[in-house]
Amino acid sequence: RVPRSLTVADLKAMKSETVTMVLQCSGNGRGMFPSKPSGTPWMVGAAGCVMWTGVPVRELAHSLGGVSQGMKFMTGTGGEVLAAGVDPKTRMERSVPLGAMEDAILAWELNGKPIPLAHGGPLRLIVPGFTGVNSVKYVKRLAFTVDESDSAIQQADYRMTPASETSMRPSDPSVWQMPPKSWINAPLPGGPGLSGAQAGELAIQGVAFGGANAVRSVDVSTDGGTTWKRARLVGPDLGRFAWRQFELPVKLRAGSHVLASRVTDVKGNVQVENRVENKGGYLNSSWRDHAVTVTVA
């Protein structure tokens, strides 16, 4: 309620928290869309699981008098300087539902070190459970607002607009929270997971995350989704926003096999079978799209 300018040093003097989360591009999996949306044709490479350290937004807001009634969104504005004459609506500014502030932080460290410029340093807004575009880099302003930002990146992009439309529409759902998702990292066609396999003995391995919720379980199929077996979660549990590694030892006969994984979060939400078709190729969490076909000799 009390506007105030703070330096990074001011923020560092406050109580900090560290959160481990999946940072995933909204278009991760875009390359699997038959419609070939514009943008980088990512498969699974536009995601990682990293640790951020900073001041919790909820604590910062409380220290400044709290959020005024009627506010519906948390809006972060990036520090990029626009050239003279450029439409101010091209600024990097994203709004997310107000509830996201409970988990959000203003971060200055990435994996225990100062955030490099390429990743949004010296200060970045981090919104766990949401796609990467909502974690605004070089954040210079954080506000609680009644309406969503009027920036182009909020109103005319990152919307779940049907692929048949000529342009994205502000009335379509915004690309915010990530749905449950998993994929297999090994074995892959022609990859090291098949090297030296004897009598079809393999360990299927991958990663899974629940978006806004922790992972409860992961099931794996070796027959394209006809039957499923429960995989084992391996490695450390770094919190509800982090991904979990999974593994399932299997014996496969010689021939081709379609391997798929399907995650369930702690609230019972299950990874979807099919993608949601949309103009931007966003939020592809289809387990069928992410299935891999391998051949055992």
Side-chain angles (χ1 to χ4, degrees):
R1 293 181 179 179
V2 182
R4 184 177 170 189
S5 295
L6 299 166
T7 65
V8 174
D10 292 332
L11 297 177
K12 287 184 177 180
M14 301 178 183
K15 183 179 179 181
S16 65
E17 289 185 2
T18 297
V19 60
T20 303
M21 57 165 269
V22 174
L23 183 65
Q24 178 181 227
C25 175
S26 306
N28 201 31
R30 179 186 286 127
M32 302 171 187
F33 280 73
S35 57
K36 304 299 180 185
S38 62
T40 304
W42 294 111
M43 301 302 278
V44 298
C49 190
V50 293
M51 301 175 71
W52 304 96
T53 299
V55 61
V57 171
R58 65 181 184 277
E59 299 293 343
L60 178 60
H62 177 73
S63 71
L64 298 178
V67 179
S68 298
Q69 288 189 348
M71 299 300 102
K72 297 179 180 179
F73 299 96
M74 178 176 70
T75 299
T77 307
E80 296 91 340
V81 177
L82 299 180
V86 174
D87 187 344
K89 289 186 179 181
T90 62
R91 69 190 181 280
M92 180 57 216
E93 186 173 88
R94 290 285 294 175
S95 299
V96 295
L98 182 63
M101 70 168 284
E102 295 299 324
D103 302 305
I105 64 172
L106 288 169
W108 53 79
E109 282 189 0
L110 167 60
N111 292 338
K113 297 181 179 180
I115 302 175
L117 184 65
H119 293 294
L123 191 71
R124 181 169 181 172
L125 174 63
I126 297 300
V127 189
F130 286 63
T131 63
V133 71
N134 299 290
S135 290
V136 177
K137 293 181 176 181
Y138 332 113
V139 64
K140 70 172 183 181
R141 180 175 181 267
L142 187 65
F144 301 103
T145 57
V146 174
D147 299 313
E148 294 183 36
S149 169
D150 66 354
S151 66
I153 200 169
Q154 182 78 28
Q155 297 294 328
D157 201 353
Y158 293 92
R159 296 277 172 178
M160 295 296 284
T161 298
S164 59
E165 296 294 324
T166 57
S167 60
M168 294 187 188
R169 306 170 303 193
S171 59
D172 293 319
S174 191
V175 177
W176 282 330
Q177 287 184 321
M178 298 183 295
K181 183 173 180 177
S182 69
W183 62 78
I184 291 168
N185 288 326
L188 297 176
L194 293 177
S195 178
Q198 296 180 358
E201 296 181 358
L202 299 169
I204 299 174
Q205 300 172 325
V207 294
F209 53 97
N213 303 305
V215 170
R216 185 175 74 190
S217 61
V218 179
D219 296 313
V220 170
S221 175
T222 59
D223 53 16
T226 300
T227 61
W228 298 88
K229 292 182 179 180
R230 182 63 44 89
R232 180 171 64 99
L233 299 178
V234 298
D237 180 354
L238 298 177
R240 65 184 257 228
F241 299 114
W243 65 29
R244 298 297 309 272
Q245 300 175 58
F246 64 85
E247 181 177 84
L248 179 68
V250 295
K251 290 186 177 181
L252 300 179
R253 66 184 185 282
S256 293
H257 304 269
V258 179
L259 311 181
S261 62
R262 184 179 65 186
V263 61
T264 301
D265 71 18
V266 292
K267 291 189 176 181
N269 300 304
V270 181
Q271 183 176 354
V272 297
E273 178 178 355
N274 299 307
R275 79 190 82 85
V276 177
E277 299 290 347
N278 66 92
K279 186 172 182 61
Y282 297 135
L283 296 180
N284 187 356
S285 60
S286 160
W287 63 254
R288 190 167 291 283
D289 274 1
H290 288 78
V292 297
T293 300
V294 299
T295 301
V296 177

